[in-house]
Amino acid sequence: MLLFALTIFLSAFLLFQVQPLIGKIILPWFGGTPAVWTTCMLFFQVLLLAGYAYAHAVIALPARRQGLVHLAVLAAAVLAGAPTIFPPEGYKPEGDGVPLLQILLVLTVSVGLPYFALSTTGSLVQAWFSRLHPSRSPYPLYALSNIGSLLGLLTFPFLVEPRLGSVTQASVWFFGFAGFCLLCGAIAVQTTRAATAGPAAERPDVDVAPVPAPTWGLRAVWVALGACASIMLLAMTNQMAIDVASVPFLWVIPLALYLMSFILCFSSERWYPRVLFYPLFVGVTAGVVGLMLAGADAGIEQQALVYCAAIFIYAMVCHGELYRLRPHPRHLTAFYLALSVGGALGGVFVGAIAPLVFPAYYELHIGLVATSLLVLHAFRRDQRLELRGRPVSAIVLAGAAAVAYTLWRIQSESPDSFRYIGPLAGALLCMLLFGFLWSLRVPTGSSDHVPEGSPAGPRWIDDGARINHGRARLAWLLPLAAIVLLAVNLVIEARYRTSEALTIERGFFGVLRVADRATHDPLQARRILFHGAINHGFQYRHPERQMWHNSYFAEESGIGTALTRHPKRKLGEPLKIGLLGLGSGTLLTYGQPGDSIRIYEIDPEVEPLSRKYFTYFDRTAATAEVVLGDGRLSLEREPDQGYDVLILDAFSSDAIPMHLLTREAFVTYFRHLKPDGVLAANMSNRHVDIRPVLKQLAEHFGWSFVWIENHSDDPRGVYAADWGLLTRNEAFLADPLVQTRQGDTSGVSTDLRMWTDDYSNLFAVLKWVQGH
């Protein structure tokens, strides 16, 4: 038993340790976009499906051949991964090609075979254990594997990432994988030897009684439950990454909660009391819809709390129902195969199909409705509630109070959301009333016992003689009406978010939306480019205001100071400017005759939108050109450009991608800057304070660091902005206006480990973490 437990635990630990590890390594190669993690999850889920399919096929082979086949797979995986899983540099993208396919290729080359070998372990080793020890249930081993997975995830951001560089992590992981292969190989040898001892019919301890196979309808329910759980995990993780930042920390916590639901649900049915999770399901649905209404205005704490709670509750509901429908251990590999098919379908839907089919992020809308319908179907098939009467009523009333409070907060913080409150309130209260009626519908008493060996899950209760059928029909109609109202509410929300858009473009790097605002006022009417929910620049519609320095780029801001107070500008000489991140093109307003502005933009959809819907390119006096591809990778390949000012204004989600703020990145920037040049970084965001990172890098390279913060908004359309400037230009630093505008950085601590390509830790510079 110990050998089986240790092998399964180690395989699960390595399986989920490698996911954030390889995701973080390749994240800089593709601009730090949240879609990198979604694509990684697609790859992992599909490969996990392949592993389960392999295990299901191998277990059907003659017992003597099973171990030999798996030994060959383990040997091939070791040879493919040796001596490290760090992806080759030659696979970095060149700026063209399809990012999704490029990521899948990199993952296949670097971790494909090792990950496949690990993914086969859970179901295959459990099946071998069940054959060798038929009197013992293998399902606790599945819970143990999820404990290993959970520890693998949680140790990465808190223990591994802060202490080891990525190259070291990749090498250490491989040696752990080699150790796993030795353990798993020992089990394969033991299984082969046991098979040669004689056929199962000659062994009295082996149960050979026939067991009916699960029906295809039950298998479909397994797949659907797995798919809904996967969709909700990926859609909400993607939503958090879009509005905050794409970092391993925000990947790991949701996935850890997802795994925690497996651990609890597959340990025992008592961890999933429907009477508790039904109101919780309703409450988190209200919270998720509330965040969707609030958009980017919700704080990081609110988003993290609500989305993570929702992921856990949805996963508990889906996986709790799955455990209720578990088959006899004889069909264990088929059960896990169906579960992995569902997970893979969810990953394919969110990672591949949705970006091609939907113009905006509608995955979460669809997932909410589909999960609600599936939960209703599960209740329809299995009507046990474990608790009755007053306990149910108390929980339902508490859920109603939580929903009422949530709706009140939505209305008070976002008055424009009133149009949604009616349908949402009706939907949620109908579902709560359903829970109350259902608690009265089923009389107190013990429910049918579910035998462990049931071939197709538990037997459904048939208590029709004691049921008030009128109340029962009402109880089923209420949640169905609630789901319809919820769907209507989500459709209204989706249409509202897109109705004002002049155009919507969705690609690998996110959803771009151009919209006109304040059109009732000719002087304030403006056209805005949104990336997700984040404003990426605007332009006034009034002809006389179209070339105003607005938003984060006002003349008194840090970038305005760098471009207007540069000594060459004061002498009337032209500037050569490099810009990472185009947005709407607002910075082109600073272009003067003779200036050249070279713009690096990773998203191929941005430049066409900027040229078509904004006039910055047409009206700028400078010569402007756009280079497609990640700005840092493009700069690394180019000869020295000799920029007077190099601007970092590339944003993924609401933060500068970490790979643009490492020591190696700044070596590249300084190579392209003239000795008296200025490096300007836009630090404006709600969640991250990167002043310590910039100040430390400035001190390391012997450059001066100037921090200029513009606090107030004003009628000119100027936003609060936070800029960091690095320079050795003494004339610029001595400028009285520069000295007046710069803030005090003496209290900014540089007591953190320097960010490099091998190490970075965004968690340490989150504003709410620093505040505590």
Side-chain angles (χ1 to χ4, degrees):
M1 178 66 176
L2 179 61
L3 178 60
F4 287 87
L6 183 59
T7 302
I8 285 180
F9 178 87
L10 182 58
S11 70
F13 181 90
L14 294 171
L15 194 74
F16 282 85
Q17 180 94 171
V18 76
Q19 293 185 20
L21 166 60
I22 197 70
K24 182 182 178 181
I25 290 174
I26 69 171
L27 183 66
W29 295 12
F30 299 91
T33 176
V36 172
W37 178 244
T38 304
T39 306
C40 288
M41 287 299 295
L42 166 62
F43 173 83
F44 297 139
Q45 288 176 317
V46 170
L47 210 56
L48 192 64
L49 169 61
Y52 280 128
Y54 162 86
H56 187 62
V58 166
I59 208 68
L61 295 174
R64 298 180 183 180
R65 296 177 56 188
Q66 294 175 17
L68 297 176
V69 170
H70 199 58
L71 283 172
V73 171
L74 293 174
V78 171
L79 293 176
T84 179
I85 59 168
F86 202 93
E89 290 287 321
Y91 285 89
K92 285 186 177 181
E94 296 289 338
D96 53 358
V98 181
L100 185 144
L101 298 179
Q102 292 173 322
I103 292 174
L104 294 178
L105 176 61
V106 172
L107 293 174
T108 301
V109 171
S110 57
V111 298
L113 269 177
Y115 192 90
F116 172 78
L118 290 170
S119 69
T120 67
T121 305
S123 58
L124 182 61
V125 172
Q126 287 180 63
W128 283 344
F129 175 82
S130 182
R131 288 189 175 183
L132 294 174
H133 307 281
S135 61
R136 305 178 67 174
S137 172
Y139 287 104
L141 289 175
Y142 187 70
L144 178 64
S145 72
N146 283 288
I147 293 175
S149 302
L150 182 63
L151 290 177
L153 278 175
L154 294 181
T155 54
F156 182 81
F158 298 112
L159 294 178
V160 177
E161 187 183 23
R163 290 170 173 80
L164 300 176
S166 298
V167 175
T168 304
Q169 292 173 32
S171 299
V172 171
W173 186 92
F174 173 76
F175 285 112
F177 174 73
F180 152 77
C181 288
L182 292 176
L183 294 175
C184 193
I187 293 178
V189 172
Q190 180 180 341
T191 303
T192 303
R193 289 177 177 174
T196 60
E202 299 175 4
R203 295 164 57 191
D205 61 331
V206 177
D207 180 14
V208 294
V211 177
T215 65
W216 286 107
L218 181 60
R219 294 171 191 257
V221 175
W222 292 344
V223 172
L225 286 167
C228 281
S230 175
I231 289 172
M232 298 309 287
L233 166 69
L234 295 176
M236 283 188 279
T237 303
N238 202 26
Q239 194 68 40
M240 278 195 294
I242 290 167
D243 290 342
V244 183
S246 183
V247 292
F249 177 75
L250 291 179
W251 304 339
V252 164
I253 298 303
L255 190 53
L257 294 171
Y258 180 83
L259 291 174
M260 179 65 74
S261 72
F262 271 117
I263 296 172
L264 296 176
C265 292
F266 279 74
S267 297
S268 171
E269 282 190 20
R270 70 176 181 271
W271 290 108
Y272 173 60
R274 281 174 163 175
V275 71
L276 172 63
F277 280 93
Y278 184 83
L280 290 176
F281 179 88
V282 175
V284 296
T285 300
V288 169
V289 176
L291 283 184
M292 294 168 69
L293 299 177
D297 294 332
I300 183 175
E301 300 92 338
Q302 293 173 300
Q303 294 192 54
L305 178 63
V306 174
Y307 281 129
C308 288
I311 288 170
F312 179 70
I313 299 303
Y314 290 134
M316 282 294 296
V317 170
C318 292
H319 297 152
E321 298 299 332
L322 268 169
Y323 188 67
R324 285 171 175 260
L325 300 174
R326 65 195 182 279
H328 187 280
R330 193 76 56 82
H331 300 288
L332 179 140
T333 56
F335 177 62
Y336 289 146
L337 178 60
L339 178 56
S340 65
V341 167
L345 288 176
V348 171
F349 173 74
V350 175
I353 296 177
L356 295 176
V357 175
F358 302 134
Y361 289 110
Y362 296 147
E363 301 92 300
L364 191 52
H365 301 68
I366 294 173
L368 285 169
V369 175
T371 305
S372 299
L373 287 171
L374 189 60
V375 169
L376 179 61
H377 176 71
F379 277 113
R380 184 74 173 171
R381 297 190 66 175
D382 181 0
Q383 302 172 9
R384 294 173 296 151
L385 271 178
E386 287 85 21
L387 296 176
R388 311 292 196 274
R390 292 179 180 177
V392 177
S393 302
I395 293 174
V396 169
L397 290 175
V403 170
Y405 175 76
T406 302
L407 296 175
W408 174 76
R409 288 297 301 270
I410 294 172
Q411 174 61 28
S412 60
E413 295 181 4
S414 182
D416 291 339
S417 66
F418 179 76
R419 71 192 73 188
Y420 311 110
I421 298 303
L424 178 61
L428 298 175
L429 292 178
C430 279
M431 295 178 77
L432 288 169
L433 185 57
F434 163 72
F436 178 74
L437 290 175
W438 200 254
S439 69
L440 300 178
R441 170 193 183 279
V442 182
T444 303
S446 60
S447 59
D448 289 0
H449 173 68
V450 182
E452 183 68 28
S454 175
R459 297 192 301 269
W460 315 126
I461 295 175
D462 185 9
D463 226 358
R466 297 182 291 168
I467 293 175
N468 182 319
H469 290 282
R471 189 189 303 160
R473 285 192 294 269
L474 178 60
W476 287 121
L477 287 175
L478 281 172
L480 186 60
I483 294 172
V484 172
L485 285 172
L486 179 64
V488 170
N489 188 81
L490 292 172
V491 169
I492 294 173
E493 189 274 342
R495 288 178 62 87
Y496 173 73
R497 296 295 177 189
T498 58
S499 61
E500 63 175 357
L502 300 175
T503 186
I504 300 176
E505 298 291 340
R506 181 172 185 179
F508 179 81
F509 298 97
V511 175
L512 296 169
R513 176 168 51 97
V514 178
D516 286 343
R517 294 281 176 85
T519 54
H520 61 281
D521 185 348
L523 294 180
Q524 291 297 322
R526 62 191 67 184
R527 179 163 292 175
I528 308 173
L529 175 65
F530 290 98
H531 183 273
I534 306 301
N535 182 329
H536 275 222
F538 77 88
Q539 184 179 39
Y540 281 111
R541 304 300 299 141
H542 195 282
E544 294 182 2
R545 296 188 171 196
Q546 288 187 2
M547 294 303 286
W548 278 16
H549 311 312
N550 59 49
S551 61
Y552 306 101
F553 315 109
E555 191 167 334
E556 62 269 27
S557 68
I559 188 57
T561 303
L563 292 173
T564 60
R565 307 305 297 178
H566 192 286
K568 290 182 66 174
R569 180 67 81 206
K570 290 190 291 185
L571 294 174
E573 300 178 7
L575 294 177
K576 187 173 184 181
I577 303 168
L579 170 59
L580 276 67
L582 171 59
S584 64
T586 309
L587 278 169
L588 293 173
T589 58
Y590 284 97
Q592 299 294 327
D595 290 350
S596 65
I597 304 178
R598 187 174 175 86
I599 305 167
Y600 302 88
E601 174 56 54
I602 192 172
D603 191 339
E605 306 292 341
V606 172
E607 183 187 359
L609 291 180
S610 178
R611 291 185 180 273
K612 181 177 180 179
Y613 292 96
F614 302 87
T615 64
Y616 291 124
F617 275 99
D618 297 331
R619 300 191 61 175
T620 184
T623 301
E625 62 175 330
V626 177
V627 177
L628 184 62
D630 179 78
R632 179 184 165 183
L633 295 180
S634 297
L635 287 170
E636 288 176 352
R637 300 185 182 107
E638 292 180 349
D640 297 355
Q641 295 296 315
Y643 291 123
D644 297 299
V645 180
L646 182 58
I647 308 167
L648 305 183
D649 190 41
F651 275 71
S652 175
S653 306
D654 195 33
I656 300 178
M658 290 186 296
H659 72 288
L660 300 182
L661 299 173
T662 66
R663 180 182 61 201
E664 292 82 356
F666 275 63
V667 169
T668 300
Y669 303 151
F670 293 147
R671 176 171 67 84
H672 285 281
L673 274 172
K674 291 181 179 178
D676 61 350
V678 179
L679 177 64
N682 189 351
M683 304 186 296
S684 309
N685 69 92
R686 292 176 298 245
H687 309 302
V688 178
D689 180 10
I690 63 171
R691 289 179 302 165
V693 177
L694 292 178
K695 182 179 178 182
Q696 183 187 59
L697 288 167
E699 292 176 352
H700 176 77
F701 289 103
W703 289 57
S704 297
F705 173 62
V706 176
W707 169 46
I708 298 180
E709 185 179 25
N710 176 36
H711 290 281
S712 60
D713 299 344
D714 63 36
R716 294 174 300 151
V718 173
Y719 299 163
D722 196 8
W723 285 83
L725 308 178
L726 282 73
T727 187
R728 288 175 173 170
N729 192 320
E730 296 297 334
F732 176 79
L733 294 170
D735 188 300
L737 194 57
V738 174
Q739 294 182 347
T740 300
R741 291 175 178 173
Q742 66 179 311
D744 182 14
T745 60
S746 59
V748 177
S749 173
T750 57
D751 187 20
L752 73 163
R753 182 174 173 181
M754 179 171 290
W755 287 11
T756 65
D757 287 352
D758 198 38
Y759 170 85
S760 59
N761 185 7
L762 195 66
F763 181 79
V765 294
L766 288 174
K767 290 181 178 178
W768 67 272
V769 172
Q770 292 181 340
H772 289 79

